[in-house]
mmCIF file with all atom_site columns, all heavy atoms in Angstrom:
data_model
loop_
_atom_site.group_PDB
_atom_site.id
_atom_site.type_symbol
_atom_site.label_atom_id
_atom_site.label_alt_id
_atom_site.label_comp_id
_atom_site.label_asym_id
_atom_site.label_entity_id
_atom_site.label_seq_id
_atom_site.pdbx_PDB_ins_code
_atom_site.Cartn_x
_atom_site.Cartn_y
_atom_site.Cartn_z
_atom_site.occupancy
_atom_site.B_iso_or_equiv
_atom_site.pdbx_formal_charge
_atom_site.auth_seq_id
_atom_site.auth_comp_id
_atom_site.auth_asym_id
_atom_site.auth_atom_id
_atom_site.pdbx_PDB_model_num
ATOM 1  N N   . ARG A 1 55  ? -28.781 25.450  -16.657 1.00 0.00 ? 55  ARG A N   1
ATOM 2  C CA  . ARG A 1 55  ? -27.902 25.407  -15.492 1.00 0.00 ? 55  ARG A CA  1
ATOM 3  C C   . ARG A 1 55  ? -26.452 25.687  -15.855 1.00 0.00 ? 55  ARG A C   1
ATOM 4  O O   . ARG A 1 55  ? -25.640 26.019  -14.987 1.00 0.00 ? 55  ARG A O   1
ATOM 5  C CB  . ARG A 1 55  ? -28.004 24.038  -14.810 1.00 0.00 ? 55  ARG A CB  1
ATOM 6  C CG  . ARG A 1 55  ? -29.362 23.729  -14.214 1.00 0.00 ? 55  ARG A CG  1
ATOM 7  C CD  . ARG A 1 55  ? -29.440 22.305  -13.711 1.00 0.00 ? 55  ARG A CD  1
ATOM 8  N NE  . ARG A 1 55  ? -29.309 21.324  -14.792 1.00 0.00 ? 55  ARG A NE  1
ATOM 9  C CZ  . ARG A 1 55  ? -29.324 20.009  -14.624 1.00 0.00 ? 55  ARG A CZ  1
ATOM 10 N NH1 . ARG A 1 55  ? -29.463 19.509  -13.395 1.00 0.00 ? 55  ARG A NH1 1
ATOM 11 N NH2 . ARG A 1 55  ? -29.220 19.195  -15.655 1.00 0.00 ? 55  ARG A NH2 1
ATOM 12 N N   . HIS A 1 264 ? 10.750  14.899  1.806   1.00 0.00 ? 264 HIS A N   1
ATOM 13 C CA  . HIS A 1 264 ? 10.234  16.202  2.210   1.00 0.00 ? 264 HIS A CA  1
ATOM 14 C C   . HIS A 1 264 ? 11.072  17.250  1.489   1.00 0.00 ? 264 HIS A C   1
ATOM 15 O O   . HIS A 1 264 ? 12.303  17.260  1.609   1.00 0.00 ? 264 HIS A O   1
ATOM 16 C CB  . HIS A 1 264 ? 10.354  16.404  3.722   1.00 0.00 ? 264 HIS A CB  1
ATOM 17 C CG  . HIS A 1 264 ? 9.801   15.260  4.525   1.00 0.00 ? 264 HIS A CG  1
ATOM 18 N ND1 . HIS A 1 264 ? 8.536   15.270  5.070   1.00 0.00 ? 264 HIS A ND1 1
ATOM 19 C CD2 . HIS A 1 264 ? 10.349  14.067  4.866   1.00 0.00 ? 264 HIS A CD2 1
ATOM 20 C CE1 . HIS A 1 264 ? 8.332   14.125  5.716   1.00 0.00 ? 264 HIS A CE1 1
ATOM 21 N NE2 . HIS A 1 264 ? 9.419   13.384  5.612   1.00 0.00 ? 264 HIS A NE2 1
ATOM 22 N N   . ASP A 1 344 ? -10.442 -6.621  -22.603 1.00 0.00 ? 344 ASP A N   1
ATOM 23 C CA  . ASP A 1 344 ? -9.383  -7.530  -23.064 1.00 0.00 ? 344 ASP A CA  1
ATOM 24 C C   . ASP A 1 344 ? -8.039  -6.823  -23.111 1.00 0.00 ? 344 ASP A C   1
ATOM 25 O O   . ASP A 1 344 ? -6.990  -7.431  -22.841 1.00 0.00 ? 344 ASP A O   1
ATOM 26 C CB  . ASP A 1 344 ? -9.727  -8.096  -24.437 1.00 0.00 ? 344 ASP A CB  1
ATOM 27 C CG  . ASP A 1 344 ? -10.898 -9.070  -24.391 1.00 0.00 ? 344 ASP A CG  1
ATOM 28 O OD1 . ASP A 1 344 ? -11.238 -9.537  -23.285 1.00 0.00 ? 344 ASP A OD1 1
ATOM 29 O OD2 . ASP A 1 344 ? -11.466 -9.370  -25.456 1.00 0.00 ? 344 ASP A OD2 1
ATOM 30 N N   . TYR A 1 526 ? -1.207  -4.875  9.576   1.00 0.00 ? 526 TYR A N   1
ATOM 31 C CA  . TYR A 1 526 ? -2.362  -5.743  9.354   1.00 0.00 ? 526 TYR A CA  1
ATOM 32 C C   . TYR A 1 526 ? -2.214  -6.523  8.058   1.00 0.00 ? 526 TYR A C   1
ATOM 33 O O   . TYR A 1 526 ? -2.621  -7.689  7.983   1.00 0.00 ? 526 TYR A O   1
ATOM 34 C CB  . TYR A 1 526 ? -3.650  -4.919  9.348   1.00 0.00 ? 526 TYR A CB  1
ATOM 35 C CG  . TYR A 1 526 ? -4.866  -5.769  9.084   1.00 0.00 ? 526 TYR A CG  1
ATOM 36 C CD1 . TYR A 1 526 ? -5.305  -6.697  10.034  1.00 0.00 ? 526 TYR A CD1 1
ATOM 37 C CD2 . TYR A 1 526 ? -5.555  -5.685  7.878   1.00 0.00 ? 526 TYR A CD2 1
ATOM 38 C CE1 . TYR A 1 526 ? -6.401  -7.500  9.794   1.00 0.00 ? 526 TYR A CE1 1
ATOM 39 C CE2 . TYR A 1 526 ? -6.651  -6.485  7.634   1.00 0.00 ? 526 TYR A CE2 1
ATOM 40 C CZ  . TYR A 1 526 ? -7.076  -7.386  8.593   1.00 0.00 ? 526 TYR A CZ  1
ATOM 41 O OH  . TYR A 1 526 ? -8.153  -8.201  8.341   1.00 0.00 ? 526 TYR A OH  1
ATOM 42 N N   . PHE A 1 564 ? -0.390  7.937   -6.393  1.00 0.00 ? 564 PHE A N   1
ATOM 43 C CA  . PHE A 1 564 ? 0.093   6.638   -6.855  1.00 0.00 ? 564 PHE A CA  1
ATOM 44 C C   . PHE A 1 564 ? 1.489   6.317   -6.316  1.00 0.00 ? 564 PHE A C   1
ATOM 45 O O   . PHE A 1 564 ? 2.201   5.491   -6.887  1.00 0.00 ? 564 PHE A O   1
ATOM 46 C CB  . PHE A 1 564 ? 0.067   6.538   -8.390  1.00 0.00 ? 564 PHE A CB  1
ATOM 47 C CG  . PHE A 1 564 ? -1.301  6.278   -8.942  1.00 0.00 ? 564 PHE A CG  1
ATOM 48 C CD1 . PHE A 1 564 ? -2.149  7.333   -9.242  1.00 0.00 ? 564 PHE A CD1 1
ATOM 49 C CD2 . PHE A 1 564 ? -1.764  4.988   -9.138  1.00 0.00 ? 564 PHE A CD2 1
ATOM 50 C CE1 . PHE A 1 564 ? -3.433  7.113   -9.734  1.00 0.00 ? 564 PHE A CE1 1
ATOM 51 C CE2 . PHE A 1 564 ? -3.049  4.746   -9.632  1.00 0.00 ? 564 PHE A CE2 1
ATOM 52 C CZ  . PHE A 1 564 ? -3.870  5.821   -9.925  1.00 0.00 ? 564 PHE A CZ  1
ATOM 53 N N   . GLN A 1 608 ? 13.884  -21.899 6.058   1.00 0.00 ? 608 GLN A N   1
ATOM 54 C CA  . GLN A 1 608 ? 12.714  -21.785 6.909   1.00 0.00 ? 608 GLN A CA  1
ATOM 55 C C   . GLN A 1 608 ? 12.590  -20.340 7.369   1.00 0.00 ? 608 GLN A C   1
ATOM 56 O O   . GLN A 1 608 ? 13.576  -19.729 7.791   1.00 0.00 ? 608 GLN A O   1
ATOM 57 C CB  . GLN A 1 608 ? 12.829  -22.722 8.107   1.00 0.00 ? 608 GLN A CB  1
ATOM 58 C CG  . GLN A 1 608 ? 11.604  -22.712 9.020   1.00 0.00 ? 608 GLN A CG  1
ATOM 59 C CD  . GLN A 1 608 ? 11.663  -23.809 10.061  1.00 0.00 ? 608 GLN A CD  1
ATOM 60 O OE1 . GLN A 1 608 ? 11.239  -24.922 9.841   1.00 0.00 ? 608 GLN A OE1 1
ATOM 61 N NE2 . GLN A 1 608 ? 12.219  -23.488 11.207  1.00 0.00 ? 608 GLN A NE2 1
#
Side-chain angles (χ1 to χ4, degrees):
R55 295 173 296 179
H264 310 262
D344 290 344
Y526 178 69
F564 282 88
Q608 183 171 272

